[in-house]
Amino acid sequence: PNIIIGSSFSEIGFMDFIINVLPCIFFFCVPTALVLNLYVFRYFFQGKMPDIEADQLKKTYPIYDQPRLLIAGTVAVFVILLFFLHPIHHKDTAWIALFGAFITMAFTNPHDVQDALRNYVEWDVMLFFAGLFVLV
């Protein structure tokens, strides 16, 4: 819904949205970050921080496909950069996002994408949101 509302105003771009939302971000995020840092430093100086073993985390949560992760991360950074360069190229953000999704799918193995679409996408949730956006 926010995309629908935001795209109905042709004179408001992505950077205008960021500039108008930035005070709220600072208002909420800066105090939250300070409080979280206070708790982290308190645990750190009292010695109650749990030891995190990087090797154990790598064994528990392995990265199964390093090249695909690199491709998806690179495309995501590129898409976010294009979002912020909207005042220069004047392309709609939806087209940039679709382009990024297309590039990610084009450079990955199509059999892996088909497997992910069959087994890991919750289609009932996707159809719910599609119906919601059609309704709005």
Side-chain angles (χ1 to χ4, degrees), residues 112-128:
D112 293 338
V113 173
Q114 290 175 359
D115 180 53
L117 288 175
R118 281 190 206 114
N119 298 326
Y120 301 110
V121 174
E122 296 186 22
W123 286 104
D124 51 348
V125 175
M126 296 296 254
L127 290 174
F128 168 76

Side-chain angles (χ1 to χ4, degrees), residues 52-66:
I52 298 175
E53 297 290 332
D55 294 330
Q56 179 65 26
L57 286 175
K58 287 180 183 178
K59 289 178 187 174
T60 306
Y61 305 106
I63 297 173
Y64 294 109
D65 196 352
Q66 186 85 24

Side-chain angles (χ1 to χ4, degrees), residues 21-59:
V21 171
L22 200 60
C24 294
I25 292 172
F26 282 125
F27 182 73
F28 288 108
C29 288
V30 171
T32 304
L34 290 175
V35 169
L36 287 175
N37 282 332
L38 176 72
Y39 281 114
V40 168
F41 284 126
R42 187 181 77 192
Y43 282 116
F44 181 72
F45 287 124
Q46 289 178 354
K48 293 182 181 179
M49 286 293 280
D51 292 332
I52 298 175
E53 297 290 332
D55 294 330
Q56 179 65 26
L57 286 175
K58 287 180 183 178
K59 289 178 187 174

Side-chain angles (χ1 to χ4, degrees), residues 102-114:
F102 173 75
I103 293 297
T104 303
M105 289 177 59
F107 285 108
T108 57
N109 188 354
H111 299 292
D112 293 338
V113 173
Q114 290 175 359

